[in-house]
Amino acid sequence: MAPPTLYIHMMSPPCRFVRLVVAIVELEVNVVVLKELSKEMQTPEMLEKFPQHQVPALDDNGLYISESRAIAMYLVSKYAKDDSLYPKDVSKRALVDQRLFFDQDLYARFLKVFLPKFHGKEVEASDIEKAKDGLETLNRMLDGKQWLAGDSVTLADYCVANSVTSLELNPESGLDPNKYSNIKQWLSRLESSNSKYADQMEAFRAFVKQIQQSKK
Ligand SMILES: N[C@@H](CCC(=O)N[C@@H](CS)C(=O)NCC(=O)O)C(=O)O
């Protein structure tokens, strides 16, 4: 069977999460980097495969999957050497799922904080408040815990950390996750626990720096 094909855009946070999972699982994938999503994801052929016309999008030999979390769950379930990132045990998996669904809302809140910057717009004060509320919730979830779901690192940690660190795309918003002590410690624990995650964060921060300089 041919390796799966993963369609991505380099600016996309959900794609960053899936790329990390691919790296951690050490999966061979054919990565297709798209530049103009509105054109490339909206051809009749692509719309038939991916009606949502969003990236990341996975084609695993005719199985078409959109939604970053669903792609990550599938890749780990099908290709990972063990189930630690996405446990087969139903109770353990339920905790991971809960956090992944929680992240869908959390990321939507953070998107409203970093996206306006790329459209030259100010962030709405009410959106800052909603993002803060999300960070406070996450900080509570991490109280007394090393990881977000269970006793070891799971997809939930990488997915939520990806959303949280996306806030670094707009430092002018003043929203700093490191002001929340449980989140700060957890992010640093995650970085020191996996060199692939640490490498990706280093590349991401270099990318953010480039964007900052180009906006000056
Ligand atoms: N919930 C989706 C969100 C994906 C998403 O928003 N993708 C954006 C890029 S970051 C996209 O493809 N936008 C193009 C479009 O919506 O037509 C996921 O987690 O995969």
Side-chain angles (χ1 to χ4, degrees):
M1 278 238 272
T5 297
L6 179 66
Y7 298 92
I8 62 162
H9 189 282
M10 293 312 284
M11 287 284 288
S12 159
C15 292
R16 184 161 67 95
F17 165 55
V18 173
R19 282 157 56 211
L20 176 68
V21 173
V22 164
I24 292 175
V25 175
E26 296 180 343
L27 180 62
E28 188 192 344
V29 291
N30 168 30
V31 176
V32 178
V33 180
L34 304 180
K35 294 219 163 76
E36 281 193 75
L37 295 180
S38 56
K39 286 195 183 140
E40 292 155 299
M41 286 304 284
Q42 297 204 31
T43 61
E45 297 76 28
M46 288 301 265
L47 283 172
E48 198 181 329
K49 295 174 185 172
F50 305 108
Q52 278 176 252
H53 54 75
Q54 289 188 326
V55 289
L58 185 82
D59 171 358
D60 191 359
N61 293 280
L63 176 66
Y64 305 115
I65 312 179
S66 296
E67 291 294 338
S68 55
R69 298 163 194 80
I71 293 171
M73 291 153 145
Y74 169 75
L75 291 177
V76 170
S77 304
K78 175 133 191 195
Y79 295 108
K81 291 184 189 85
D82 61 54
D83 71 344
S84 63
L85 284 178
Y86 193 50
K88 289 195 175 80
D89 176 274
V90 175
S91 308
K92 290 184 183 166
R93 178 171 286 205
L95 291 180
V96 179
D97 287 342
Q98 194 280 329
R99 299 319 195 213
L100 291 172
F101 286 109
F102 161 72
D103 182 68
Q104 186 96 8
D105 171 67
L106 191 68
Y107 177 71
R109 294 181 189 216
F110 295 163
L111 185 66
K112 288 192 172 162
V113 170
F114 68 78
L115 200 57
K117 173 179 172 139
F118 297 93
H119 295 154
K121 290 191 179 144
E122 289 296 312
V123 186
E124 300 281 338
S126 59
D127 288 333
I128 294 275
E129 287 314 306
K130 283 181 196 153
K132 271 188 188 161
D133 177 67
L135 285 169
E136 280 159 18
T137 304
L138 176 61
N139 202 53
R140 272 196 303 279
M141 280 177 177
L142 285 164
D143 218 12
K145 305 240 165 52
Q146 297 271 308
W147 308 111
L148 257 180
D151 300 331
S152 58
V153 178
T154 64
L155 281 183
D157 294 288
Y158 292 121
C159 184
V160 176
N162 183 70
S163 297
V164 170
T165 54
S166 297
L167 287 170
E168 293 180 27
L169 287 163
N170 188 2
E172 293 84 5
S173 73
L175 264 190
D176 179 4
N178 287 313
K179 287 187 184 150
Y180 301 78
S181 67
N182 296 334
I183 296 178
K184 181 179 178 183
Q185 287 168 40
W186 163 72
L187 286 175
S188 125
R189 196 175 301 125
L190 203 55
E191 253 183 85
S192 43
S193 72
N194 187 310
S195 62
K196 285 177 183 150
Y197 177 72
D199 290 349
Q200 197 195 56
M201 281 312 300
E202 197 182 323
F204 173 66
R205 290 192 174 120
F207 173 68
V208 172
K209 212 168 168 182
Q210 248 179 28
I211 299 177
Q212 285 297 105
Q213 278 161 358
S214 72
K215 297 252 172 213
K216 275 183 190 158

